[in-house]
């Protein structure tokens, strides 16, 4: 296949989105007004598709810390930590993560995507075995693919299916790597981590959990679903991102194995990428402090999630999972999904339109991600917009209630 | 080629064609030479589901990375046969 053919393929994808008038790339936030509002096409719009779970992007402590770091240390690091050396902030943030998780090892990466890529590319080699949840994020698949390891999927959130696949590996199951996420970003469902971990350990496999969407949101201390499942002392690697609850840009990996620090010498996405900017590091560190000291932020997020979830249920929408900060509305067709998505925009509400293959088991999803910064008035406005949007639908509101 | 091998070949091909029948093809006919990428509309999620079904049907582990060597239905059948024959 030539490069021209590839361009034609990509143009086809763009045109197919254009055909249903659902091209998210046409959305431009002309002005960001707050963690939950922006001007889109000149219209004041409530944002409910940003993953800004704790709503900290405009928090004065974060802004002050980021500005101070930029003035003190400059706008960028202009190179990788292996080449240029680490800034004190990089090392301090790693210490803070290690202390928060009470583990010997923590490493930070320049993005969440690179965190999983960096871990997997460093610890896996051709011939190694990986069994990952079939709904895993692209960066997990990509890390496995690039590593050259043999990787196979188990059915989403199904510990018995994982057991079956580990059993089939025979002696290779011992030392294999099992990968799951905490909160799955599209359907908003959570993994049965205690059961998955128990199966992995039964076969002598390593267990890795990506808490990109669950860090700061679950667990008494906000450490994520591994904390909530009571498996922090058993899970081998936990990864996460700064670009959701931590309101910045970057990623982290923590481990109970001191040897994880050795990744610095063999992880290409760590070695060959410019390190995070001083402003990003300072903002993430300030957000981490907020998670540790202000649990009420998480409580507000959950109050908002419950309010939107109950409201959408009441309107008759079919929701993809039980309540979580990600609430995905199932829509019967791609065209109806696009129509509702545009109607919501007209009503001043921005959600994520998710189409197959990113919408597992569904024709389309209208994905809402809640923020602690949403007010109850905004949640009620979102619900009114859903009600108005579905008024133009073939199905009456409530008709699809299950 | 022994009868046993022929039977296995046929069983694998028949099973694959049955599993693949639910996906639309650009040409009218689905056969051993059908190109999975060029002639069929199977997205990554459906391909993964297909591989999990194949694993369960033949009680083998089919790593997703093996798909790099698969273009046609016959290629897929060949890979499955190899896995079945080397089953621990």
């Amino acid at each position: 296949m030539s490069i021209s053919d590839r361009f034609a393929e990509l143009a086809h994808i763009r045109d197919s989105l254009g055909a249903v008038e659902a091209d998210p790339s046409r959305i431009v936030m002309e002005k960001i007004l707050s963690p939950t509002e922006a001007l889109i096409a000149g219209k004041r719009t409530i944002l409910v598709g940003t993953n800004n779970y704790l709503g900290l992007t405009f928090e004065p402590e974060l802004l002050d810390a980021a500005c101070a770091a930029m003035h003190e240390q400059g706008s960028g690091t202009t190179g990788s930590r292996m080449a240029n050396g680490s800034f004190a902030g990089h090392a301090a943030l790693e210490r803070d993560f290690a202390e928060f998780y009470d583990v010997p090892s923590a490493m930070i990466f320049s993005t969440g995507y690179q965190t999983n890529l960096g871990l997997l590319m460093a610890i896996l080699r051709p011939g190694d075995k990986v069994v990952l949840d079939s709904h895993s994020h692209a960066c997990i698949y990509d890390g496995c693919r690039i590593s050259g390891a043999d990787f196979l999927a188990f059915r989403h959130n199904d510990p018995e299916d994982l057991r079956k696949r580990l059993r089939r590996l025979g002696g290779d199951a011992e030392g294999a790597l099992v990968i799951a996420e905490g909160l799955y970003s599209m359907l908003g469902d959570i993994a049965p981590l205690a059961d998955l971990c128990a199966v992995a350990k039964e076969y002598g496999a390593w267990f890795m959990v990506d808490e990109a969407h669950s860090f700061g949101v679950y667990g008494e201390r906000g450490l994520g679903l591994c904390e909530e499942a009571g498996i922090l002392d058993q899970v081998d690697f936990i990864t996460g991102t700064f670009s959701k609850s931590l309101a910045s840009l970057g990623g982290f990996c923590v481990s109970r194995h001191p040897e994880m620090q050795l990744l610095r010498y063999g992880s290409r996405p760590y070695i060959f990428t410019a390190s995070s900017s001083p402003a990003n590091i300072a903002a993430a560190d300030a957000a981490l402090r907020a998670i540790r000291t202000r649990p009420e932020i998480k409580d507000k997020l959950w109050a908002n999630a419950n309010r939107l979830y109950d409201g959408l249920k009441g309107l008759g929408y079919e929701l993809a999972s039980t309540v979580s900060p990600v609430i995905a509305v199932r829509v019967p067709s791609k065209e109806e999904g696009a129509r509702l998505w545009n109607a919501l925009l007209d009503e001043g509400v921005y959600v994520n339109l998710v189409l197959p293959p990113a919408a597992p088991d569904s024709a389309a999803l209208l994905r809402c991600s809640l923020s602690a910064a949403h007010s109850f008035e905004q949640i009620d406005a979102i619900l009114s917009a859903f009600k108005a949007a579905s008024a133009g639908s073939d199905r009456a509101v409530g008709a699809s209630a299950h | 080629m022994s009868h046993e091998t022929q039977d296995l070949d046929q069983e694998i091909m028949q099973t694959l064609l049955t599993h693949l029948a639910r996906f639309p093809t650009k040409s009218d006919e689905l056969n051993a030479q059908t190109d999975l990428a060029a002639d069929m509309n199977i997205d990554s999620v459906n391909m993964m589901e297909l591989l999990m079904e194949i694993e369960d049907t033949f009680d083998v582990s089919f790593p997703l990375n093996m798909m790099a060597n698969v273009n046609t239905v016959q290629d897929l059948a060949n890979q499955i046969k190899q896995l079945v024959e080397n089953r621990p």
Side-chain angles (χ1 to χ4, degrees), chain A residues 193-330:
Chain A
L193 289 179
D195 293 340
L196 293 172
C197 185
V199 174
K201 295 299 159 188
E202 183 186 324
Y203 282 85
W206 298 68
F207 190 45
M208 165 185 166
V209 178
D210 179 351
E211 299 255 31
H213 290 265
S214 36
F215 178 79
V217 172
Y218 286 88
E220 195 180 333
R221 289 181 292 154
L223 289 170
L225 276 160
C226 288
E227 182 193 6
E228 195 148 303
I231 57 164
L232 281 172
D233 59 341
Q234 296 167 63
V235 64
D236 296 291
F237 304 103
I238 296 174
T239 57
T241 178
F242 299 172
S243 59
K244 295 174 175 67
S245 286
L246 289 169
S248 182
L249 179 66
F252 68 89
C253 177
V254 296
S255 175
R256 63 194 177 93
H257 304 287
E259 298 89 344
M260 198 271 284
Q261 300 277 358
L262 296 169
L263 261 57
R264 295 180 205 279
Y265 301 96
S267 172
R268 295 171 66 86
Y270 176 86
I271 296 169
F272 295 104
T273 309
S275 57
S276 291
S277 76
N280 281 325
I281 293 294
D285 210 17
L288 196 59
R289 272 195 303 279
I291 290 173
R292 297 175 77 165
T293 57
R294 295 165 56 195
E296 67 276 10
I297 303 174
K298 182 161 53 100
D299 297 341
K300 178 66 166 63
L301 168 66
W302 279 100
N304 286 343
N306 281 310
R307 192 175 183 94
L308 185 65
Y309 188 90
D310 292 343
L312 288 171
K313 275 262 173 199
L315 288 174
Y317 281 100
E318 182 187 349
L319 306 181
S321 66
T322 54
V323 64
S324 83
V326 174
I327 298 173
V329 175
R330 286 192 197 276

Side-chain angles (χ1 to χ4, degrees), chain B residues 19-53:
Chain B
H19 279 297
L20 286 166
R22 69 177 186 270
F23 300 107
T25 50
K26 287 179 188 165
S27 59
D28 288 341
E29 200 182 342
L30 172 65
N31 58 44
Q33 297 317 312
T34 300
D35 188 304
L36 292 167
D39 300 332
M40 300 194 74
N41 188 14
I42 311 178
D43 66 32
S44 55
V45 170
N46 278 313
M47 181 55 75
M48 203 162 47
E49 181 58 37
L50 178 70
L51 291 182
M52 287 193 288
E53 287 170 12

Side-chain angles (χ1 to χ4, degrees), chain A residues 132 134-135 141 148-155 161 164-165 167-169 356-358 360, chain B residues 43-46 48-49 51-53 55-66 88:
Chain A
L132 75 176
S134 61
H135 286 197
Y141 279 101
D150 291 334
F151 62 105
L152 37 117
F154 66 92
R155 287 197 164 77
D161 198 72
K164 183 167 65 181
R165 282 160 218 286
R167 176 186 56 73
R168 276 194 198 126
L169 287 177
Chain B
D43 66 32
S44 55
V45 170
N46 278 313
M48 203 162 47
E49 181 58 37
L51 291 182
M52 287 193 288
E53 287 170 12
E55 288 182 310
D56 290 346
T57 304
F58 294 102
D59 196 26
V60 294
S61 295
F62 192 116
L64 293 160
N65 43 305
M66 277 178 69

